[in-house]
Amino acid sequence: ACETLPESRNKNYSQQRIAIKQYAQRHHTTELRVQRRNLVEALYDLIMIHLILKKNMLHETVDMTESKHGVQNYACINFGDNGIRINDVSRQQAHPQLGVGPSW
């Protein structure tokens, strides 16, 4: 999935980990198989979907990736009006648009 999980939005990093675990359980797999994407994976997915399907995924949401920026911050990515945006947020931060896109 390229979009963030709806149940992971408006949660901080630790709460999103629980959402990923619940997502894995619903799909009868382990949380070791379903991971948070790193920044490069999320960027690649956005570019490929845009090129092939002509869709802008993550336009309404922001994906908090597994890639770290410093000690406490994680890289996040979305497709804004002016193109792909990469930023960083604290692991303690929660926002209604901020979620996690699972990777199998």
Side-chain angles (χ1 to χ4, degrees):
C2 194
E3 282 293 339
T4 60
L5 295 173
E7 59 270 18
S8 72
R9 295 183 196 143
N10 206 22
K11 292 181 169 42
N12 64 30
Y13 181 87
S14 299
Q15 294 166 331
Q16 288 175 357
R17 287 183 59 198
I18 295 168
I20 292 172
K21 184 176 181 178
Q22 292 169 344
Y23 175 80
Q25 289 172 345
R26 276 196 317 274
H27 289 86
H28 307 290
T29 188
T30 66
E31 59 185 299
L32 296 175
R33 291 198 60 205
V34 180
Q35 299 288 321
R36 187 184 294 261
R37 293 183 295 188
N38 64 41
L39 181 61
V40 173
E41 292 170 329
L43 179 60
Y44 179 82
D45 289 346
L46 283 179
I47 292 170
M48 288 297 108
I49 288 173
H50 181 73
L51 288 174
I52 296 168
L53 301 176
K54 308 294 185 221
K55 286 183 164 181
N56 294 339
M57 303 302 288
L58 295 176
H59 190 69
E60 301 292 325
T61 60
V62 178
D63 186 356
M64 181 190 278
T65 69
E66 188 64 29
S67 300
K68 285 189 174 183
H69 184 265
V71 179
Q72 290 289 321
N73 290 359
Y74 284 85
C76 59
I77 187 169
N78 76 318
F79 208 119
D81 292 332
N82 296 323
I84 295 174
R85 298 178 350 159
I86 299 172
N87 207 339
D88 67 309
V89 294
S90 167
R91 66 181 299 137
Q92 308 304 325
Q93 188 171 346
H95 188 276
Q97 293 178 318
L98 186 64
V100 60
S103 175
W104 287 70

